[in-house]
Amino acid sequence: LNFNADHNGGSANNVRRRSTTKGPEPEAVVTAKIGDSTYAFIALERIGGVMVYNVSNPTMPYFRQYINPRNFSLAPNAGNNPNIGDLGPEGMTIVKEDESADGNAYLIVSNEVSGTIRSYLLDYTQNVVKSKVEPFYIASNKAESDVQA
């Protein structure tokens, strides 16, 4: 339904409009071994979100999950409204269990347009991405004490 949504402009959530004629734009890719499987995480810049593919067999990858915390009922130019969610994923990294403070693996996604960083807990037993952790908002023009966590 929101395939061609953009992250710029007031009416960009209108599904009849193309997102600057490009559609979803893969922006970043990372891979991670989770349990016995290898997964590719692909960030989509314009519509937002991350596609997850099992690539354990590179000649037969298959779609596993799509994660998008964006709220399509709000226009992307509604200011620094945390209810909009994440806009414009730009970079991603994997934090392995032995590298994290709590012993869990995470996918970390930075979002250029919304200025957010979101971490997703990677699950070995259920879905690839079990749950999301609320985003950390980066505010370039605010005092440090005004930054939301």
Side-chain angles (χ1 to χ4, degrees), residues 10 23 29 60 65 69 84 99 107 110 115 120 137 147:
V29 177
M60 295 183 64
Q65 188 175 7
I84 293 172
E99 298 171 341
L107 170 69
S110 63
Y120 295 93
Y137 293 91
V147 175

Side-chain angles (χ1 to χ4, degrees), residues 11-138:
S11 63
N13 285 330
N14 184 339
V15 296
R16 293 185 182 106
R17 181 176 168 186
R18 293 196 44 86
S19 59
T20 321
T21 69
K22 293 184 182 180
E25 182 180 333
E27 181 68 20
V29 177
V30 295
T31 60
K33 185 132 176 111
I34 300 175
D36 294 331
S37 299
T38 302
Y39 293 91
F41 299 86
I42 303 147
L44 300 177
E45 183 180 25
R46 293 177 182 274
I47 190 172
V50 177
M51 296 185 306
V52 182
Y53 283 85
N54 183 314
V55 294
S56 298
N57 180 348
T59 63
M60 295 183 64
Y62 63 90
F63 177 76
R64 180 69 191 268
Q65 188 175 7
Y66 174 63
I67 315 143
N68 193 345
R70 176 178 174 177
N71 181 348
F72 285 94
S73 68
L74 299 172
N77 70 345
N80 291 331
N81 182 347
N83 296 321
I84 293 172
D86 300 331
L87 299 172
E90 188 70 19
M92 298 185 296
T93 192
I94 299 290
V95 177
K96 297 177 183 175
E97 309 91 338
D98 60 350
E99 298 171 341
S100 77
D102 65 2
N104 290 307
Y106 291 91
L107 170 69
I108 310 295
V109 181
S110 63
N111 298 280
E112 175 185 29
V113 176
S114 60
T116 56
I117 298 173
R118 187 177 296 264
S119 61
Y120 295 93
L121 177 65
L122 301 180
D123 186 1
Y124 293 89
T125 59
Q126 302 288 320
N127 293 322
V128 173
V129 179
K130 182 177 181 181
S131 62
K132 62 186 177 192
V133 179
E134 288 307 307
F136 176 79
Y137 293 91
I138 300 171

